[in-house]
Amino acid sequence: MFFANCFDQNSELFQDMLSYIRLQADWGDFNRWQMDFQNVALTGRGNGWVVCGYSLYHKRYINTFISNHNKDVMVGFIPVLVIDMWEHAFARDYLNDKKSYLVAMMREINWALVEERMKKVDVLAKVMK
């Protein structure tokens, strides 16, 4: 999921896009979501992935850190945005500067793909009601 949703050098996000609307609605403010996503990424335990996804139990989008490849995965969680926070992802270009790496990755999010994932979540969330 990471390789598909990152590396879009023409990354664009507009306020009328579903991804912006959903994250703003669940977080009260898009910037609040973004700050939390970055905080989760930078305070995650060890190597792993920072993930934004929909919780079928909480019925909202949340941010989480998945340690290694399979630890701390929530039941009923559908990922829509994934960023690699393993040392090998940033060390060559950013040394130990995880924050600069994360900011660079967030500037290249493929929001059109995230949007498609969120549309699928909308369909599933309706079925799960």
Side-chain angles (χ1 to χ4, degrees):
M1 292 186 83
F2 164 68
F3 289 106
N5 68 215
C6 285
F7 311 111
D8 179 1
Q9 295 196 4
N10 298 314
S11 175
E12 292 184 311
L13 178 65
F14 301 102
Q15 292 180 345
D16 63 346
M17 291 175 68
L18 181 66
S19 46
Y20 186 95
I21 292 167
R22 292 288 185 266
L23 293 172
Q24 179 164 287
D26 285 351
W27 287 87
D29 180 90
F30 183 83
N31 289 332
R32 186 177 296 142
W33 165 79
Q34 190 171 6
M35 288 173 53
D36 184 77
F37 187 80
Q38 291 178 353
N39 186 50
V40 169
L42 297 173
T43 59
R45 295 177 301 275
N47 287 309
W49 311 86
V50 61
V51 184
C52 175
Y54 187 80
S55 169
L56 292 171
Y57 295 104
H58 296 289
K59 298 186 181 343
R60 65 184 301 269
Y61 284 94
I62 59 176
N63 300 317
T64 189
F65 193 85
I66 297 175
S67 301
N68 295 317
H69 292 294
N70 59 356
K71 291 185 171 52
D72 310 313
V73 178
M74 290 182 266
V75 173
F77 182 74
I78 305 165
V80 296
L81 173 61
V82 179
I83 295 184
D84 186 348
M85 293 305 296
W86 285 74
E87 187 176 296
H88 65 255
F90 59 84
R92 181 176 176 207
D93 295 325
Y94 296 92
L95 302 175
N96 288 328
D97 188 359
K98 285 185 183 181
K99 186 172 185 175
S100 292
Y101 160 77
L102 182 61
V103 168
M105 289 295 95
M106 292 187 76
R107 285 189 184 127
E108 295 184 0
I109 292 172
N110 183 338
W111 287 106
L113 178 66
V114 173
E115 186 111 343
E116 290 305 312
R117 291 174 180 168
M118 286 185 164
K119 287 177 184 176
K120 291 176 183 176
V121 166
D122 280 356
V123 171
L124 185 59
K126 284 182 186 178
V127 171
M128 298 299 290
K129 280 189 176 181

